[in-house]
Amino acid sequence: MKTILSKILVAFMAIIILGSCSEDFLNEPKPTDGVSEPVVFSSRAGVEAFISGIMRRFRGQYTNVDSAGLNSIFFARTVKGNDVIQANNWFGFDYANDNREPTYRRTSFTWNYCFYMINQANALINGVEASTVLADTDKKELMAYGYALRGFFYHQLVMEFAPTYSFDQNFPAPPIYKSLSTSGNGMSTVKEVYDLIVDDLTKAVDGLNSSRLGKSYINKNVANGILAQVYQVMGNWPGAEAAAKAAYGGNAAAVLNAAGYRTGFNDYSNVEWIWGSAQSSDQSNYYWGFPHVGTDFTTTSYTSTHINVDFASLFSATDVRRLFQLRSATLPVTDFRYWITSKFKFTFDADHPIIRSSEMILIEAEALQRQTKDLQAHDLLYTLQKNRDVNAIRSTNTGPALLEEILVERRKELYAEVGVEWFDAKRLRRGITRTGNHRIKAAANLTADDKKFFLKIPQAEIDANDLIEESINANR
């Protein structure tokens, strides 16, 4: 029976019709209208044009303002935590931790969008592999791109639709597809998905190099960054250390730029950005571009995202990341609107961060600490802290206290970008308790291993796929 995924078979038409899909950059491949499949996979330029079309969907307008592209998945995670407060606006149901039922837009969008991108990756892998014209060296690199893309989106899927890796590796997880399909597969397991992800990303790291068409594209550094995140969830600390270090290059001081933190967080040319979703005035998320469109109160936007007073208190006065200001001088500190942030500047060409070097530095620091290399972990952590705050004082923390310091630093460094607070709470099997001036507190708290950390399987997929039991959501 035809499944939701097979409905996305129209994605295969991207192989044939590639118009209006390229990044708006000089010297990058420009797809053309009406290109046939044999032409696409008969030259590197053709395949690169196809890749440009795929990457365009990172910044698309998929369903609605809160379900636009990858940025919507990240921001939905952000507002589920304690550090950021969302007004009763877009992402309001995510903020209430009440947006996981099988017929809800969040559930359907996340499932369909990730599988759409996986389908595109499969079209790329299968098309390159079948080509009799491409050189072997080109085939290895271009297929590696597809593996990285597939591994990345399967990781988003398993994070969103199953408990974390260490909870139950036999828990039902989304179906696995390695090729274009007109029929549905049954549910896999968490372990099977992670086995696929690690295999895909290992091949991606092996096949890619440092060059790429632009900073919104995947290269070896990006693939290593994705792998570091995966190993972090799996608790593979030697692997996380090596991958994170390879992602940012190993010289922390060389890839940190404190001054750039105050420039609007909307330009992926910043040395700290390893991977970003590029926007341009004619190819943009427009008013679907969260977090920027929710946090920038200086221009026409949704002005809907605020900062918890308890989170703001974690920053010293001289920390460049302390980009908080009063929404109004007349609001009491108990009002959820009390603090806003100027971290993100909203324009139609505001780029979105996906992976930054500081995240990789902190993954490496955590991995070192987990391996009882506290001195090395502390040295790396302090390099970041001193860059962000000239008056930073090195703590004396070791062991579990040092780990907690690293985790707090991750929240301070990455707030509102990629949902780091939710990501860490889920992988570490911790709860999230709302404090401070949140407008919704106890009703939105998350306990350790809370089912609200993952979504139910979309009802439309259950109805269409004979291999997915009607009872699949009974224990979700």
Side-chain angles (χ1 to χ4, degrees):
M1 182 177 288
K2 199 172 186 181
T3 65
I4 295 296
L5 180 65
S6 65
K7 290 177 183 178
I8 303 172
L9 191 59
V10 294
F12 185 72
M13 293 303 293
I15 299 172
I16 302 173
I17 304 175
L18 296 170
S20 302
C21 292
S22 70
E23 302 284 2
D24 190 24
F25 301 111
L26 294 174
N27 302 319
E28 293 190 6
K30 298 295 189 292
T32 56
D33 292 332
V35 181
S36 65
E37 180 185 351
V39 172
V40 169
F41 294 109
S42 66
S43 69
R44 184 181 178 96
V47 178
E48 287 176 341
F50 179 42
I51 289 172
S52 291
I54 297 174
M55 303 314 291
R56 173 66 180 87
R57 298 305 298 155
F58 272 67
R59 63 175 187 265
Q61 295 173 309
Y62 202 87
T63 309
N64 215 318
V65 175
D66 60 358
S67 47
L70 179 64
N71 65 302
S72 299
I73 295 175
F74 285 166
F75 197 72
R77 294 173 183 172
T78 290
V79 299
K80 292 175 183 180
N82 186 43
D83 297 341
V84 169
I85 303 171
Q86 189 69 359
N88 188 19
N89 201 301
W90 296 108
F91 295 91
F93 290 109
D94 300 291
Y95 169 75
N97 275 308
D98 186 26
N99 202 11
R100 63 186 297 268
E101 293 303 312
T103 58
Y104 288 3
R105 184 166 67 241
R106 171 67 53 227
T107 302
S108 298
F109 159 72
T110 304
W111 181 277
N112 292 342
Y113 175 72
C114 288
F115 270 123
Y116 172 89
M117 297 302 283
I118 288 166
N119 220 38
Q120 296 282 50
N122 284 335
L124 172 60
I125 296 166
N126 299 164
V128 171
E129 186 176 34
S131 174
T132 59
V133 182
L134 290 169
D136 288 343
T137 53
D138 285 339
K139 291 180 74 170
K140 181 178 181 179
E141 182 183 348
L142 295 169
M143 288 176 66
Y145 198 105
Y147 291 132
L149 195 67
R150 187 169 70 186
F152 176 79
F153 277 101
Y154 260 116
H155 195 217
Q156 308 315 310
L157 265 182
V158 75
M159 287 291 292
E160 292 286 342
F161 288 95
T164 195
Y165 181 80
S166 63
F167 177 78
D168 180 2
Q169 294 183 30
N170 293 316
F171 195 92
I176 290 175
Y177 297 90
K178 295 183 180 180
S179 60
L180 299 169
S181 176
T182 57
S183 60
N185 292 343
M187 298 290 284
S188 65
T189 66
V190 168
K191 183 180 186 305
E192 288 170 339
V193 174
Y194 271 94
D195 286 347
L196 172 68
I197 292 169
V198 171
D199 183 60
D200 275 355
L201 294 176
T202 301
K203 288 186 287 191
V205 168
D206 177 60
L208 292 166
N209 53 54
S210 61
S211 65
R212 52 180 160 174
L213 300 170
K215 223 169 182 179
S216 62
Y217 292 80
I218 298 170
N219 65 357
K220 185 185 287 288
N221 299 74
V222 171
N224 269 306
I226 302 168
L227 186 59
Q229 294 169 337
V230 171
Y231 281 151
Q232 191 180 26
V233 173
M234 298 175 71
N236 179 346
W237 300 116
E241 177 191 350
K245 190 171 185 177
Y248 78 85
N251 184 348
V255 292
L256 293 175
N257 175 22
Y261 218 94
R262 294 182 178 273
T263 59
F265 243 77
N266 59 2
D267 183 359
Y268 77 167
S269 66
N270 188 309
V271 67
E272 293 194 357
W273 290 37
I274 296 173
W275 189 24
S277 178
Q279 312 288 315
S280 60
S281 58
D282 64 335
Q283 292 185 9
S284 169
N285 278 118
Y286 298 105
Y287 288 105
W288 307 34
F290 281 82
H292 301 71
V293 73
T295 58
D296 188 351
F297 285 68
T298 66
T299 188
T300 302
S301 71
Y302 288 113
T303 59
S304 56
T305 307
H306 304 77
I307 302 298
N308 184 358
V309 294
D310 287 350
F311 179 61
S313 70
L314 297 175
F315 295 77
S316 72
T318 51
D319 192 322
V320 298
R321 300 169 299 187
R322 193 184 187 282
L323 299 171
F324 309 131
Q325 59 195 64
L326 296 178
R327 170 81 182 267
S328 168
T330 63
L331 290 174
V333 70
T334 54
D335 194 298
F336 80 88
R337 299 168 296 174
Y338 188 77
W339 284 123
I340 58 177
T341 178
S342 59
K343 179 177 179 179
F344 306 94
K345 181 174 176 56
F346 172 59
T347 58
F348 287 159
D349 60 356
D351 303 332
H352 296 157
I354 303 176
I355 295 177
R356 292 194 298 113
S357 56
S358 55
E359 179 188 359
M360 296 297 108
I361 291 167
L362 290 167
I363 290 177
E364 185 187 1
E366 180 182 353
L368 288 166
Q369 192 284 321
R370 297 281 191 171
Q371 298 172 85
T372 67
K373 302 175 183 177
D374 282 13
L375 181 60
Q376 293 171 256
H378 216 165
D379 288 344
L380 197 57
L381 174 63
Y382 186 61
T383 298
L384 175 65
Q385 291 172 326
K386 192 67 174 177
N387 178 270
R388 298 320 196 203
D389 183 355
V390 294
N391 295 322
I393 298 173
R394 182 186 175 109
S395 78
T396 58
N397 288 332
T398 59
L402 177 57
L403 173 61
E404 294 306 313
E405 185 179 358
I406 292 168
L407 295 175
V408 169
E409 205 66 37
R410 281 170 56 80
R411 288 164 55 200
K412 292 165 68 176
E413 180 65 28
L414 300 167
Y415 73 88
E417 293 180 46
V418 292
V420 66
E421 183 189 11
W422 178 93
F423 181 87
D424 284 352
K426 178 165 185 174
R427 70 181 173 91
L428 297 174
R429 301 175 64 184
R430 300 180 177 187
I432 298 177
T433 300
R434 291 269 173 89
T435 65
N437 58 327
H438 270 278
R439 66 181 185 87
I440 302 176
K441 287 190 176 179
N445 286 346
L446 296 172
T447 58
D449 296 323
D450 201 313
K451 290 182 179 179
K452 291 182 180 180
F453 272 113
F454 59 98
L455 307 172
K456 296 183 179 181
I457 305 304
Q459 187 62 46
E461 178 69 22
I462 297 170
D463 293 342
N465 189 343
D466 291 335
L467 297 181
I468 297 181
E469 299 291 334
E470 288 287 341
S471 61
I472 188 64
N473 286 322
N475 295 318
R476 290 174 173 265

